[in-house]
Amino acid sequence: MTNVLFSFKTTLALLMILALGAAVATFIENDYGTSTARVLVYNNIWYEAALVLTTINLCGIIFKYKMWKHPARFIFHVSFVVILIGSGVTRYLGYEGIIHIREGETQNQMISLEPYLQIKINQKDATYYKEYKKEFANTIYGEESNSIPKQIFASIVKAANNFDHKIKFNDKVLDIKYNNYLFVKKGNASMGILAVDVTLNGETKTIKLPGKRGQEGVVKVEDFGDTVVTLEYGSKILTLPFSIKLRDFQLDRYPGSMAPSSYASEVTVIQKNKEPFDYRIFMNRTLHEGNFLFFQSSYDQDEKGTILSVNNDPGKWPTYLGYFLLSLGLIWNLFDKKSRFWKLTKYLKNNTAASFLLACLLSFGFTTNAKAIEQQSIATSAQDTVINYLNAFQKDSKQTAEKFSYLVTQSGMGRMKPMDSLNNEILHKISSRGSLFGMNANQIVLGMLTRPEIWRHIRMIKIKTPKLKKLLGVDPSRKYIAFSEVFTKDGRYKLEKEAQEASMSKPSERGTFEKDIIQLDEKLNVSYMVYNANLFKIFPRVSSGKVDDNNRWYNPLDAFSFFKGQNKTAVETMTRGFVNSVINEDYDSANKFIDMISTYQKKVGADVIPSESKINQEIFFNKLDIFFKLTIAYLIVGLIMLIVAFFVVFNPKIKPVKITKLFFIILAILFALHTAGMGFRWIISGHAPWSNTYESLLYISWSAVFAGVVFFRRSLLALSAAIIVASIFMFTAHLTTIDPQITNLVPVLKSYWLTIHVSILTASYGFFGLAAILSYMALIMFIFRKNRPHMDNNIKNVVAITEVALIIGLSAITIGNFLGGVWANESWGRYWGWDPKETWAYVSIVIYAFVVHMRFVKKLNTPFALSVASLLAFSTILMTYFGVNFYLSGMHSYATGDPVPIPMWVYYVTAIVIITIALASRNRDLKDTICEAKNQVN
């Protein structure tokens, strides 16, 4: 029995059970609610039993193989046991709640986060009270007042919900019996409706009780003659052992924006027999009092009250100890000369067939050729007049457009930035281009702002689907349409009905046509706001001798309406003078008016306007457009390197030492430029450049190149794989659906834990992507290895590099994920909430742990098995990074959880992978001879 329990086969089986269970639970939660996922998986006895068995299995293996002789691996394996103990203490002894306090009020009561089923019985002068909890199927726990009862149900497999509570009172029996549980989902909100049959005095009534986590339930009162029964399904009032008084709630917003920059609660903690003390609670700063932790969660709309999350967590320090041991052990393991990692790197260094490394760079002189302004670019009969205007404007407006780009504007989120950034965002939005007709974004926007009657006829709005083109009467070969082409002669919007239907449809029902309509509608709105100057918040206001509250800036039309006196006169004079000068092609005068507006901004908006050096830096960064150029370079260089690498593989006599060194130098230059670009963006934004989708894709690409340059520089295939991974993610970052603009951070993201957590976690994706590409290369070589003995050694080299990448990636994703738990606990009071993004990160860790430990099972200890597993395992990373955003709802998700159509390329890639594995399997009989002593835990 111990041989089975403490075997690696059992380890792999348990890991797969944990991964599959959690993965399936995320889809159950999305479709049937959090309560159902908890009942059937997360809180179910079978899943907890699997966790306990995994821990027992781990302890047995530690003892069986005397792992304490190798401190590094012993520490990080034992850390999982410590973490499980800490989480168990938190799970069974801790609880959470929410406390709401208005300014000036003192509060010592909170509501529980978990729902309760509460029953009150009133009969004459007697009152009876009962509360129940139910977490697992057919299991009812105690009813002590000092317990934390929870009553959760599943909306599927409803047999798990059955209960029949008989409450005896005054020689009578009240029977509360389960009838039904319904999960209701409306948009992002969800709730459960519990139906129970209540029987008393021979009379039965069915009562429906709506409930939701973190909210008090709806009270239902039923009269049974001489007895009144009150039922409630929802959060319960809990009393704290001390009181909290809210002295003041403070909310800071980004300049000119409703978006909060930070919010805080000034409170006083009042205890019996102790001196009260004051404390300031805000995002990422928690109030600790005994085992209770208070976190700034939300606030009242009138900004006169605060909402705090409360967490009673006796398992915090054991859990933190486990996290520390985990990080220490995994990092130490990478430097332990007896570890598997070091054996693999030693093998690669000693094997001459593993070539040196490389990378290749093309010139960065990618420029957009000035496209001649042709008649087909204009949707008006006065084509000659428009062409003459555009040719003159293209030539004469450069200097004015350049000065225009240095004016400062305020974004909707309150970020202060140069007009150059906004202009580039506008042109990218409407045309997916960085320039048009030989003019840059500043010239294009300047023209749209000053001569809208001309620019509305110029075809510059990108359109995709043939069906939409047909609906608008546009030639199928055209890629762009004019603003005027979407309206009839009498000004009616041609797509009004279709746009409304597309917007109201569910994401799962939207095809390419509907999505293109929605995108076109957005582009038209942006164009309209440019024509009317609504996007350009360039004027701060002075009112009664003081700058406007919250340093709000206004667009010209609003400034005309809201400004008073000399302030209004100055703004009108500058605006009209500037526009009229451009219209009359008097660019010298236009430049003077721009200087006047700039002076006005610096004087009135001095509190928030960026320094001149920062404006210059951002404009220089925009002009560099370094990441797009890197994308082109990575794509071309990666293709060249891959061709050269396979040419070398199939021609073993070739020893390309010189070209390899040249490639390495060029790749190192590329990496240095990529690093400089990331650092430059960090300086401009003021925060780490991995806070949104665009930035994280850039960072994953960076980590992939980092893996190649630093760890695998002796392998041509590894380097080509690294740059291919980088090019794929960089290309994805520059798709039109991903917004590259720099934005402000929401309050909860202003934490150093975010920087640590995201940087480590996201870096692992680059290593896993590298491992996946290398695995696919290895499978290609398996297909052609017959009658080519030299290729076997190349396969082993590639597989060894793959395993090194997997070990580094697994270490990084594990440390990063658990550090994310620290950030979550320090920010909002919980390490883990089984949010889909968190859960799939956990699934990825478990799956990659499975892949790394496959070598301890004889039949799975082959290069072919590792290559297949490494390639397929990358699907968990894709699901974590992309799939969750579009198919599952949660706080990390960008979508509502309604499924969207799966892109066709997913099916094509899946088919290619399956076919490749099938073809490679015919020649899979290749033993792993990289390292000896396979039965040792290395």
Side-chain angles (χ1 to χ4, degrees):
M1 183 174 180
T2 55
N3 287 338
V4 173
L5 187 59
F6 301 147
S7 72
F8 283 108
K9 290 182 180 179
T10 302
T11 303
L12 298 184
L14 289 169
L15 289 175
M16 191 56 66
I17 289 171
L18 293 175
L20 290 176
V24 171
T26 60
F27 291 96
I28 293 175
E29 179 179 5
N30 184 73
D31 295 334
Y32 301 101
T34 302
S35 178
T36 301
R38 293 190 176 202
V39 169
L40 298 181
V41 183
Y42 301 137
N43 293 355
N44 201 294
I45 190 67
W46 75 265
Y47 198 78
E48 293 193 340
L51 283 169
V52 173
L53 284 174
T54 303
T55 305
I56 294 173
N57 171 269
L58 177 58
C59 292
I61 289 176
I62 290 173
F63 181 80
K64 183 177 180 180
Y65 293 99
K66 300 178 180 178
M67 205 176 289
W68 52 83
K69 293 183 178 181
H70 305 280
R73 71 193 70 145
F74 174 72
I75 288 174
F76 77 74
H77 281 95
V78 167
S79 70
F80 289 106
V81 180
V82 178
I83 291 171
L84 187 66
I85 293 173
S87 62
V89 172
T90 298
R91 164 79 171 81
Y92 290 107
L93 300 181
Y95 56 93
E96 299 174 77
I98 298 170
I99 185 170
H100 177 211
I101 317 174
R102 297 286 291 177
E103 283 187 347
E105 290 185 356
T106 300
Q107 184 64 267
N108 71 335
Q109 290 184 327
M110 68 178 189
I111 63 171
S112 65
L113 186 63
E114 298 294 346
Y116 295 63
L117 176 59
Q118 303 168 75
I119 303 102
K120 288 183 180 179
I121 305 170
N122 293 307
Q123 189 181 47
K124 296 181 181 179
D125 296 329
T127 300
Y128 306 88
Y129 176 74
K130 211 83 166 176
E131 61 188 24
Y132 293 95
K133 67 176 180 178
K134 182 176 186 294
E135 286 187 293
F136 308 125
N138 303 317
T139 304
I140 305 299
Y141 291 84
E143 301 134 21
E144 299 81 3
S145 59
N146 61 353
S147 66
I148 305 299
K150 304 165 190 173
Q151 187 94 13
I152 58 177
F153 302 94
S155 57
I156 54 174
V157 192
K158 295 185 179 181
N161 299 331
N162 289 333
F163 64 82
D164 189 354
H165 301 320
K166 296 186 184 326
I167 304 173
K168 296 181 180 180
F169 67 100
N170 199 19
D171 298 327
K172 291 189 176 185
V173 177
L174 176 69
D175 189 5
I176 310 291
K177 189 175 183 179
Y178 171 78
N179 179 288
N180 192 19
Y181 179 79
L182 178 66
F183 170 66
V184 180
K185 184 173 183 179
K186 296 179 180 180
N188 289 323
S190 60
M191 65 181 298
I193 300 177
L194 173 65
V196 296
D197 292 332
V198 181
T199 302
L200 181 64
N201 300 330
E203 181 183 0
T204 300
K205 295 184 178 182
T206 300
I207 302 173
K208 294 182 178 180
L209 302 169
K212 189 176 180 182
R213 295 182 79 226
Q215 294 182 9
E216 294 184 65
V218 177
V219 177
K220 297 285 186 176
V221 180
E222 296 295 332
D223 192 343
F224 289 86
D226 61 342
T227 305
V228 176
V229 179
T230 304
L231 298 98
E232 180 181 353
Y233 174 55
S235 296
K236 176 192 171 186
I237 301 295
L238 301 174
T239 303
L240 297 168
F242 50 85
S243 300
I244 297 178
K245 179 181 179 180
L246 178 62
R247 302 193 320 276
D248 185 33
F249 177 77
Q250 301 167 355
L251 175 66
D252 295 326
R253 301 183 187 278
Y254 286 110
S257 168
M258 294 301 292
S261 171
S262 66
Y263 40 90
S265 300
E266 296 282 354
V267 301
T268 299
V269 180
I270 304 170
Q271 309 173 76
K272 291 182 179 179
N273 304 322
K274 289 185 179 181
E275 286 290 326
F277 65 90
D278 296 336
Y279 196 84
R280 179 179 172 84
I281 305 172
F282 55 89
M283 278 295 180
N284 303 309
R285 189 170 190 260
T286 307
L287 168 62
H288 295 255
E289 181 56 36
N291 281 336
F292 288 93
L293 292 83
F294 295 83
F295 308 85
Q296 186 64 62
S297 175
S298 186
Y299 55 90
D300 293 342
Q301 292 301 310
D302 63 359
E303 302 175 21
K304 297 295 183 181
T306 187
I307 298 173
L308 305 176
S309 296
V310 187
N311 187 14
N312 188 307
D313 180 18
K316 173 180 176 178
W317 293 114
T319 303
Y320 278 14
L321 173 62
Y323 291 173
F324 171 75
L325 293 175
L326 174 72
S327 301
L328 175 64
L330 287 173
I331 294 172
W332 190 352
N333 184 64
L334 297 178
F335 296 94
D336 182 5
K337 294 186 177 181
K338 294 183 179 180
S339 69
R340 172 76 171 180
F341 177 80
W342 272 79
K343 289 183 178 181
L344 288 167
T345 54
K346 184 178 180 181
Y347 167 82
L348 291 172
K349 287 180 181 178
N350 294 337
N351 198 300
T352 56
S355 322
F356 195 45
L357 159 83
L358 35 83
C360 179
L361 169 67
L362 287 186
S363 168
F364 268 64
F366 295 107
T367 57
T368 304
N369 292 327
K371 180 180 177 181
I373 303 168
E374 301 170 350
Q375 289 186 349
Q376 57 263 34
S377 301
I378 301 166
T380 179
S381 56
Q383 292 178 342
D384 292 339
T385 302
V386 174
I387 289 176
N388 291 335
Y389 158 77
L390 289 176
N391 286 329
F393 184 77
Q394 174 188 350
K395 179 181 177 182
D396 300 332
S397 66
K398 290 181 180 179
Q399 184 181 359
T400 300
E402 179 75 8
K403 291 182 71 67
F404 176 64
S405 71
Y406 279 83
L407 292 177
V408 176
T409 184
Q410 190 178 73
S411 73
M413 281 286 290
R415 191 174 92 85
M416 308 304 298
K417 58 186 177 183
M419 283 293 299
D420 183 82
S421 294
L422 177 60
N423 295 341
N424 279 284
E425 291 163 10
I426 291 171
L427 187 58
H428 181 271
K429 179 68 177 178
I430 64 178
S431 68
S432 302
R433 297 282 297 275
S435 62
L436 279 174
F437 316 122
M439 289 181 277
N440 59 34
N442 296 315
Q443 289 178 284
I444 297 290
V445 174
L446 179 62
M448 294 174 68
L449 175 64
T450 55
R451 299 296 299 272
E453 75 281 3
I454 292 178
W455 285 87
R456 67 192 304 270
H457 296 295
I458 298 176
R459 291 166 180 161
M460 53 189 294
I461 300 174
K462 192 167 186 178
I463 186 173
K464 298 177 183 177
T465 53
K467 185 176 179 181
L468 182 54
K469 294 176 183 179
K470 183 178 180 180
L471 183 63
L472 293 172
V474 172
D475 189 289
S477 63
R478 290 229 328 249
K479 295 182 179 180
Y480 299 91
I481 61 172
F483 182 87
S484 60
E485 290 182 292
V486 190
F487 298 89
T488 61
K489 292 182 179 179
D490 57 358
R492 185 178 59 82
Y493 182 28
K494 293 181 181 179
L495 300 176
E496 182 177 1
K497 179 182 177 182
E498 289 78 6
Q500 186 176 9
E501 291 177 351
S503 298
M504 294 176 64
S505 64
K506 295 181 179 179
S508 58
E509 298 173 352
R510 293 175 187 167
T512 307
F513 172 67
E514 287 77 16
K515 287 188 286 186
D516 201 15
I517 285 181
I518 293 173
Q519 290 175 5
L520 177 59
D521 197 59
E522 292 174 351
K523 294 173 183 178
L524 294 171
N525 283 324
V526 170
S527 300
Y528 181 78
M529 287 190 286
V530 173
Y531 296 143
N532 290 278
N534 286 340
L535 285 178
F536 310 110
K537 296 181 179 180
I538 58 176
F539 292 118
R541 181 176 72 160
V542 175
S543 179
S544 301
K546 296 182 179 179
V547 178
D548 187 80
D549 291 343
N550 198 32
N551 289 293
R552 179 184 174 187
W553 288 27
Y554 295 79
N555 65 53
L557 294 181
D558 287 343
F560 295 169
S561 301
F562 297 117
F563 287 18
K564 304 293 183 182
Q566 293 182 350
N567 199 20
K568 179 178 180 179
T569 302
V571 168
E572 287 182 343
T573 301
M574 290 185 292
T575 303
R576 299 186 194 283
F578 166 63
V579 173
N580 290 332
S581 296
V582 176
I583 292 175
N584 296 325
E585 300 182 12
D586 182 2
Y587 291 108
D588 289 336
S589 297
N591 294 341
K592 292 178 182 179
F593 281 112
I594 292 176
D595 290 335
M596 293 170 62
I597 295 173
S598 178
T599 301
Y600 176 88
Q601 289 184 336
K602 292 174 182 176
K603 182 179 179 180
V604 181
D607 291 343
V608 294
I609 193 169
S611 65
E612 188 173 338
S613 62
K614 193 160 187 176
I615 295 172
N616 292 335
Q617 288 173 358
E618 184 163 347
I619 292 177
F620 177 68
F621 180 76
N622 294 338
K623 289 179 178 179
L624 276 179
D625 199 12
I626 189 170
F627 296 121
F628 177 74
K629 294 173 180 177
L630 276 171
T631 301
I632 302 298
Y634 280 150
L635 284 169
I636 298 177
V637 171
L639 180 61
I640 293 173
M641 289 180 62
L642 186 63
I643 294 172
V644 172
F646 272 105
F647 186 76
V648 172
V649 167
F650 284 90
N651 295 272
K653 295 181 180 180
I654 298 177
K655 304 293 182 182
V657 177
K658 292 183 179 180
I659 190 65
T660 301
K661 290 181 178 179
L662 175 62
F663 280 152
F664 173 74
I665 293 171
I666 297 174
L667 186 56
I669 294 173
L670 272 178
F671 177 69
L673 291 170
H674 198 151
T675 304
M678 297 289 286
F680 208 159
R681 189 174 174 103
W682 191 332
I683 292 171
I684 292 170
S685 65
H687 57 77
W690 43 72
S691 61
N692 57 35
T693 303
Y694 177 79
E695 291 176 344
S696 61
L697 287 168
L698 298 180
Y699 183 67
I700 294 173
S701 303
W702 179 90
S703 65
V705 181
F706 171 80
V709 170
V710 175
F711 294 98
F712 311 121
R713 58 185 179 274
R714 295 179 180 275
S715 170
L716 182 60
L717 276 173
L719 262 297
S720 61
I723 200 169
I724 288 173
V725 172
S727 64
I728 291 172
F729 279 99
M730 289 286 279
F731 178 77
T732 305
H734 288 87
L735 294 176
T736 55
T737 53
I738 296 177
D739 191 352
Q741 70 171 299
I742 297 172
T743 58
N744 288 323
L745 289 179
V746 295
V748 73
L749 297 183
K750 294 182 176 180
S751 169
Y752 58 87
W753 285 112
L754 169 72
T755 304
I756 300 171
H757 157 61
V758 177
S759 61
I760 297 175
L761 185 68
T762 311
S764 69
Y765 297 170
F767 285 91
F768 289 140
L770 175 62
I773 295 294
L774 286 172
S775 296
Y776 189 77
M777 291 178 175
L779 292 175
I780 295 293
M781 287 189 282
F782 266 105
I783 296 175
F784 298 101
R785 66 177 283 256
K786 193 173 183 180
N787 299 323
R788 294 184 177 88
H790 67 276
M791 201 168 287
D792 291 354
N793 199 39
N794 289 328
I795 293 174
K796 291 176 184 178
N797 293 329
V798 170
V799 171
I801 296 172
T802 299
E803 193 172 350
V804 170
L806 291 176
I807 292 172
I808 297 174
L810 181 58
S811 300
I813 194 175
T814 305
I815 294 173
N817 206 52
F818 283 102
L819 287 178
V822 175
W823 172 40
N825 193 50
E826 293 299 318
S827 295
W828 49 79
R830 61 148 182 82
Y831 317 89
W832 198 265
W834 293 108
D835 180 84
K837 195 85 166 182
E838 298 171 349
T839 304
W840 272 96
Y842 157 73
V843 170
S844 300
I845 292 172
V846 175
I847 289 296
Y848 275 104
F850 177 96
V851 175
V852 168
H853 289 84
M854 281 171 49
R855 59 194 173 86
F856 296 113
V857 176
K858 187 175 181 180
K859 291 185 178 180
L860 299 178
N861 185 29
T862 65
F864 176 78
L866 182 66
S867 298
V868 172
S870 172
L871 180 59
L872 297 180
F874 192 63
S875 62
T876 64
I877 299 297
L878 295 177
M879 183 64 191
T880 303
Y881 193 79
F882 294 108
V884 169
N885 295 339
F886 300 106
Y887 297 96
L888 300 173
S889 59
M891 74 176 183
H892 291 85
S893 178
Y894 307 137
T896 61
D898 295 318
V900 296
I902 298 176
M904 286 304 299
W905 66 263
V906 174
Y907 296 105
Y908 296 146
V909 171
T910 302
I912 291 171
V913 168
I914 292 173
I915 292 171
T916 303
I917 292 173
L919 293 174
S921 65
R922 297 180 303 175
N923 301 321
R924 64 181 179 275
D925 187 20
L926 176 63
K927 301 299 181 183
D928 182 8
T929 57
I930 294 175
C931 297
E932 299 177 355
K934 290 297 179 182
N935 292 326
Q936 296 181 12
V937 184
N938 291 327

